[in-house]
Amino acid sequence: QVQLVESGGGLVQPGGSLRLSCASSATFFSLYNMAWHRQAPGKQREFVARIRSGGNTTYADSVKGRFTISRDNAKRTVYLQMNNLKPEDTAVYYCVAGEYWGQGTQVTVSS
């Protein structure tokens, strides 16, 4: 089973920034489409960002222009740079590689 370990979450004030990391054990990491999803309190899990194996990216409208997804295939790691964070970004963020999901990391945006 592929293991995904998220890190970088925490408390941040509105307007601040965080960078999430997801370390993968996948042998053929470079072939996976990678994504970030999130689940806010009282809401369903939603798509945030995706980076395909070829490098093309897609973002949810709610984060476009503020978040950037990237990957380092040599390190088998995917990142989510989050800038200008808003209270509505508060959620548990999950790393996704194909059919595999990580355990999630908490991001809380509050004054």
Side-chain angles (χ1 to χ4, degrees), residues 24-45:
S24 173
S25 67
T27 302
F28 301 104
F29 175 83
S30 64
L31 300 181
Y32 279 89
N33 295 330
M34 301 292 298
W36 290 93
H37 292 237
R38 68 186 182 186
Q39 187 166 23
K43 297 184 178 180
Q44 294 183 321
R45 193 169 297 184

Side-chain angles (χ1 to χ4, degrees), residues 12-17 83-86 109:
V12 65
Q13 294 185 356
S17 298
N83 297 326
N84 191 25
L85 283 160
K86 304 176 180 180
V109 185

Side-chain angles (χ1 to χ4, degrees), residues 32-92:
Y32 279 89
N33 295 330
M34 301 292 298
W36 290 93
H37 292 237
R38 68 186 182 186
Q39 187 166 23
K43 297 184 178 180
Q44 294 183 321
R45 193 169 297 184
E46 65 176 349
F47 165 81
V48 175
R50 177 187 302 114
I51 182 165
R52 290 182 281 276
S53 59
N56 292 331
T57 58
T58 304
Y59 298 92
D61 288 342
S62 59
V63 307
K64 191 173 184 178
R66 299 188 297 120
F67 290 11
T68 302
I69 188 170
S70 62
R71 65 194 298 163
D72 186 332
N73 290 337
K75 297 181 179 179
R76 296 186 297 179
T77 301
V78 63
Y79 305 94
L80 185 68
Q81 178 67 47
M82 305 184 294
N83 297 326
N84 191 25
L85 283 160
K86 304 176 180 180
E88 54 263 41
D89 295 319
T90 295
V92 177

